Amino acid sequence: MSEITELSLKQIAEGVRGGNFSAIEVLQAFLKNIAEKEDDLNAFITVNSKGALTQAKEIKKGQQGRLLGVPVALKDNISTRGLRTTAGSKIIEDYIPPYNATVVAKLLAEGAIILGKTNMDEFAMGSSTENSAYGVTHNPHDLTRVPGGSSGGSAAAVAARLAPTALGTDTGGSIKQPAAFCGVVGLRPTYGAVSRYGVIALTSSLDQVGPLAKTVEDARTIFEVIAGKDPYDATGVEMASEEPKKLESLRIGIPKEYLGEGLDPAIAEMVKKVGEFLEKQGAAIQEVSLPHTHYGLAVYYIITPSEVSSNLARFDGIRYGVRVEDSSIEELVSRSRGKGFGSEPKRRIILGTFALSSGYADQYYLRAAKVRTLIAQDFARAFEKVDLLLTPTAPTTAFKIGEKKDPLSMYLSDIFTIPANLAGLPGLSVPVGTIKNLPVGVQLLGPKFSENMLFDVGEAIERKKWS
């Protein structure tokens, strides 16, 4: 049974369809791994054992569906009908959605089974999954280290073979960075390429749903299932047609700003080796410049708290969330939010409310929006010279749990993923070996709707066996 957990998504679906094994056997193989490893990892907030078994029993030999019998784990900010969705927070710990997010509906339509809801930083605010109200998730490669965040539970579940694939969400780097820390593949799609309907919002102008998977092929499969314009999501866009390009004809840029201060020299060397490998495959490698890169973190931490302040206002103890009764409406709201939210949401709500307040909005939020445009223009100019960019995914390997006590040092974990996200661009993190037994990922960035090119290059990198 254990070998089932190593199969690709395509192999699982074909095996179930052909009667080589049943959907129940597949599910039981992953539930067995969960039973053996979950106490150490804490990758899930809710394991949907009973519901998943009910789904598996309904799947028969010969049925169609690209994900027939494939158990899929979902980050716990993605709404699932009848299955609680907490967003990693106590303020909505008992929330059971009456509907499925569009991405969940698409997975189910292809025969997938909902395995459970994975742990995450509260409301997706964090880079380590230490901010969850349901405990810290541990990295399967070293239980003393973080799995990254905020989709750390999804990354850890895939890395430890508790799930063959998982969905995460990525705002500042919350799919790509944990993918790098856990040694799996993670895709943040083009902004608007995947519906956000039914996903609890963090930063509406940045949030995007994407897959974490064992291989690039599996990530491509999930992306093809969940992508597409959705009438329920006003920010959705039609995927533009993409001209296929051969690796030997590609021009690949390495931004000089991504190889400077703060980057582990061993990771810089790994990026260089990947560039040399791609050059041997026929690609042309050149240095490029993204001069506004160093403003990315500051821009992100004005725009994100501002949108957080707005999006989380609904959790007031009246409309949604924990309610602490008091003598006045003001006290009820204040005490309910004080009890329900953890420290990181409180920090960002306060920052965002200040940035949007009268007399400061022009000075902070509007100025950040203008610099965001300059960052996007940097990428546009770079893509006039090259087809895609090769960068580190994260400045370090996975750090120790509890190591980063200063919020700023934690925020710096996403320094290489944030700029492209601000520009709405797709990014793929691909594992390229280890440093001191800890996984390392490189990030491939392309113009909007260039996911297929990123997958093709990612598969070439994956085929090389990195030490």
Side-chain angles (χ1 to χ4, degrees), residues 132-149:
S132 171
Y134 301 92
V136 178
T137 296
H138 298 255
N139 192 311
H141 296 272
D142 181 345
L143 296 176
T144 68
R145 295 180 185 267
V146 303

Side-chain angles (χ1 to χ4, degrees), residues 17-279:
R17 189 177 301 111
N20 298 332
F21 40 76
S22 69
I24 294 173
E25 289 176 291
V26 174
L27 176 62
Q28 287 173 338
F30 286 100
L31 288 176
K32 181 173 183 288
N33 277 0
I34 291 171
E36 291 173 354
K37 301 177 183 180
E38 174 60 8
D39 284 349
D40 290 331
L41 294 175
N42 195 33
F44 285 86
I45 291 176
T46 302
V47 178
N48 185 34
S49 305
K50 186 176 179 182
L53 184 60
T54 299
Q55 287 179 266
K57 286 177 179 176
E58 293 173 355
I59 293 174
K60 307 298 181 189
K61 173 183 173 182
Q63 271 183 238
Q64 296 306 303
R66 295 186 67 181
L67 300 174
L68 191 68
V70 174
V72 179
L74 304 171
K75 188 175 180 178
D76 205 28
N77 58 348
I78 300 173
S79 296
T80 42
R81 185 171 60 217
L83 187 63
R84 79 169 180 155
T85 300
T86 71
S89 179
K90 288 293 184 183
I91 204 164
I92 51 169
E93 63 180 332
D94 297 321
Y95 175 55
I96 298 177
Y99 69 103
N100 283 321
T102 295
V103 290
V104 177
K106 288 188 171 187
L107 292 171
L108 292 172
E110 291 292 341
I113 292 168
I114 305 306
L115 181 59
K117 310 300 288 292
T118 56
N119 204 3
M120 58 180 285
D121 287 298
E122 186 173 358
F123 284 101
M125 298 183 206
S127 304
S128 64
T129 318
E130 292 173 285
N131 291 331
S132 171
Y134 301 92
V136 178
T137 296
H138 298 255
N139 192 311
H141 296 272
D142 181 345
L143 296 176
T144 68
R145 295 180 185 267
V146 303
S150 60
S151 305
S154 290
V158 174
R161 304 301 188 255
L162 308 189
T165 187
L167 290 189
T169 61
D170 192 304
T171 305
S174 290
I175 288 173
K176 295 179 288 184
Q177 184 251 29
F181 278 12
C182 289
V184 298
V185 176
L187 172 76
R188 179 221 157 78
T190 303
Y191 179 76
V194 176
S195 174
R196 294 185 299 112
Y197 176 73
V199 179
I200 296 171
L202 173 65
T203 308
S204 301
S205 69
L206 283 161
D207 296 349
Q208 189 64 125
V209 182
L212 292 116
K214 296 193 296 287
T215 65
V216 175
E217 180 190 31
D218 283 355
R220 189 196 296 258
T221 297
I222 295 295
F223 173 67
E224 289 174 352
V225 168
I226 64 175
K229 188 171 172 59
D230 176 16
Y232 294 113
D233 181 358
T235 62
V237 290
E238 289 287 357
M239 288 290 290
S241 58
E242 187 184 340
E243 283 291 322
K245 295 179 180 178
K246 293 185 177 179
L247 181 57
E248 54 266 28
S249 70
L250 289 179
R251 302 162 300 162
I252 299 174
I254 299 180
K256 64 182 182 180
E257 292 83 2
Y258 283 56
L259 298 179
E261 185 182 355
L263 176 64
D264 183 331
I267 294 178
E269 185 62 28
M270 194 71 83
V271 173
K272 183 182 174 185
K273 285 182 180 178
V274 175
E276 290 170 352
F277 165 74
L278 293 172
E279 199 165 31

Side-chain angles (χ1 to χ4, degrees), residues 407-425:
L408 181 57
S409 67
M410 183 72 75
Y411 297 165
L412 287 166
S413 301
D414 293 331
I415 196 166
F416 298 137
T417 54
I418 279 173
N421 289 18
L422 289 166
L425 304 177

Side-chain angles (χ1 to χ4, degrees), residues 426-449:
L428 182 73
S429 183
V430 184
V432 287
T434 60
I435 295 173
K436 296 180 180 177
N437 297 318
L438 294 173
V440 177
V442 293
Q443 178 179 223
L444 300 172
L445 301 171
K448 291 181 179 180
F449 311 114

